[in-house]
Structures are given as C-alpha cells and as structure tokens.
C-alpha cells in the first residue's frame, strides 16, 4: 500500500512541477491565443480598432528557405507575442546575425559563432532559442511528428528579414500571418467576425488549443499524471487482491 501511495504522490508532484514550469514559460513569452493568415497586410486603422477593443495583434510573417537539405522558416524578431526565449546567446541585433531554434541547431551540429547560409546570405549564429508557437516544431500542422533535421526556425532583425526577402530566394511566397491575444475581451469567433466586418479575408485561423505546435508538453505531462494515478490504484488493487 505504501508503495502504491508513494508512486501516485511522486508522479502527481513531478507532473505538477513540470506543468507549472510550462505555464510560467507561456506567461513569460506571452504565448498567443491564436493565429490567422490573410492575403495582404491588415490596414493600420483596423489594427487600431482591435487594439482599442483590448486585443493584442502582431504581424508575424515568415518565409521558408532551403538550407542543407532542410527547411528553415525565417521570422522577424517578435516584440509582443510569442517572444523568443534564449536558451543560450541572444536574439539577432546586428547585420547578418541569426538566432536559430535550439533543436534544429543541435541536429545540424551548429553552435553560437558558427555561420549558416540562408538564401545565399551568410549569417552568424548569435543565439539558440525557442518560441511558444513552435514549442513542438512542426513544419506543417498535419505533420505526424517533429523532424529537427529537416525543419527549424530562425529569427532576424526586421531590416535583415526585409533584405533577405528582397533577394527572392525563398522556396514559397511569404506567408502573411498575425498572432493575437484576446485578454478575455472577445472570443476567437468574434475576432474573426470583427476582421471580416472590416473587409479582412481570413484564409486560415488556428486557436492555440487546437494548434499542435502549442502546449503539447503540458498535455503530455497531464496524460502521464493520469497514467500515474491509474497505475497507483492498480498497485493498490493488486496488493489488496
């Protein structure tokens, strides 16, 4: 009986500690409530209207580049939502600097101070990072699993992002994407209606709870916590039997 109690208590305690850490990380990095894509950039007046209603909105466009038999998805540095967490080093601040997603860098044997060629431009790696919107770093949401050898993310200053885009070396056209935080001011569907009322055509919209890149670690730990409780009761039953 003592063994069963110890198993249950230790499993729950460990799981709660990890979940607490995940939630702290989400809060510190201001993880999105959702994201959506559009054809063209949203007019500043529409963004101001949403801001006045208490919604945080940040443009987070990206372009994909072929690099060493893999794809790197390049973003600008974030300022408000889905902030970069530096595992080591720092975010890009200077010309020809890039911060790389940590798992991609590890699989490719890349470290701070190394150089990497993206779109025929040599960038110096200044930091290894993670972001909450690519916590599970899937290229496409339909991908069955993460392959860090084949896909990762990278982050540049706004100026360097624009300079790289002008070279036209991306594998596909730039994706026009916005991340948002609702602050309990409206629902996701209400936000979509607001956008459409302002003549914004939403191509796709994913709320965080339905986004396989976000929060998977917490869900996995929660499942392990349930499994631990069930396992402990099984031990109780076996001992009692």
């Amino acid at each position: 009986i003592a063994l069963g109690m110890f198993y249950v208590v230790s499993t729950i305690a460990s799981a709660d500690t990890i979940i607490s850490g995940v939630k702290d990380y989400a809060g510190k990095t201001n993880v999105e409530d959702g994201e959506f894509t559009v054809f063209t950039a949203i007019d500043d007046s529409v963004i101001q209207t949403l801001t006045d209603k208490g919604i945080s909105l940040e443009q987070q466009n990206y372009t994909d580049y072929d690099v060493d038999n893999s794809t790197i998805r390049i973003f600008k540095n974030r300022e408000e939502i889905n902030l970069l967490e530096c595992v080591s080093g720092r975010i890009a601040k200077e010309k020809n600097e890039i911060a790389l997603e940590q798992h991609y860098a590890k699989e490719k044997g890349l470290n701070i101070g190394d150089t990497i060629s993206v779109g025929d431009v040599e960038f110096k790696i200044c930091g290894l990072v993670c972001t909450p919107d690519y916590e599970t770093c899937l290229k496409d949401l339909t991908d069955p699993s993460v392959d860090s050898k084949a896909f990762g993310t990278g982050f540049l200053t706004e100026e360097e992002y624009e300079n790289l885009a002008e070279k036209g070396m991306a594998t596909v056209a730039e994706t026009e994407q916005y991340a948002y935080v609702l602050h309990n001011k409206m629902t996701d569907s209400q936000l979509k209606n607001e956008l459409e009322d302002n003549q914004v055509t939403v191509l796709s919209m994913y709320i965080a709870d339905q986004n396989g890149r976000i929060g998977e670690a917490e869900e996995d730990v929660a499942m392990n916590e349930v499994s631990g409780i069930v396992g402990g009761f099984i031990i109780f039953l076996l001992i009692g039997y």
Side-chain angles (χ1 to χ4, degrees), residues 105-174:
K106 180 179 179 180
E107 289 294 337
K108 292 295 185 179
L110 297 169
N111 295 293
I112 293 173
D114 291 343
T115 58
I116 184 171
S117 180
V118 182
D120 288 343
V121 177
E122 291 291 322
F123 290 96
K124 184 177 181 180
I125 300 170
C126 61
L128 304 180
V129 301
C130 56
T131 57
D133 56 323
Y134 280 81
E135 177 187 325
T136 302
C137 201
L138 300 171
K139 180 181 180 182
D140 299 307
L141 289 174
T142 55
D143 289 347
S145 61
V146 173
D147 185 353
S148 294
K149 286 185 178 180
F151 176 74
T153 55
F155 300 85
L156 310 175
T157 65
E158 182 174 358
E159 182 178 2
E160 286 298 276
Y161 177 92
E162 300 297 346
N163 289 340
L164 182 61
E166 287 177 3
K167 294 182 178 296
M169 301 292 289
T171 56
V172 293
E174 181 182 44

Side-chain angles (χ1 to χ4, degrees), residues 1-10 228-229 231-233 235-236 239:
I1 293 175
L3 177 61
M5 291 179 65
F6 174 79
Y7 182 79
V8 172
V9 171
S10 61
I229 294 171
F233 280 115
I235 292 174
F236 283 144
I239 292 174

Side-chain angles (χ1 to χ4, degrees), residues 3 18 63 71 80 94 102 104 125 127 132 157 177 196 209 231:
L3 177 61
I18 295 172
T63 47
T71 298
E80 184 177 0
E94 307 293 341
Q102 60 172 331
Y104 177 86
I125 300 170
T157 65
Q177 177 177 276
E196 292 175 344
D209 290 344

Side-chain angles (χ1 to χ4, degrees), residues 38-107:
V38 292
F39 278 119
T40 59
I42 299 174
D43 190 83
D44 289 343
S45 63
V46 177
I47 293 176
Q48 187 59 55
T49 296
L50 292 170
T51 300
D52 291 343
K53 293 185 177 182
I55 306 302
S56 296
L57 197 67
E58 184 173 5
Q59 187 180 41
Q60 296 187 350
N61 294 3
Y62 63 81
T63 47
D64 287 353
Y65 293 85
D66 288 336
V67 178
D68 187 24
N69 297 315
S70 66
T71 298
I72 295 184
R73 182 160 293 165
I74 298 294
F75 294 86
K76 304 173 188 176
N77 289 336
R78 281 82 179 273
E79 297 183 356
E80 184 177 0
I81 303 172
N82 297 327
L83 300 176
L84 279 69
E85 175 84 356
C86 291
V87 178
S88 59
R90 58 172 174 79
I91 65 172
K93 297 179 180 180
E94 307 293 341
K95 183 177 180 180
N96 297 122
E97 286 187 339
I98 187 170
L100 279 183
E101 192 275 324
Q102 60 172 331
H103 298 298
Y104 177 86
K106 180 179 179 180
E107 289 294 337

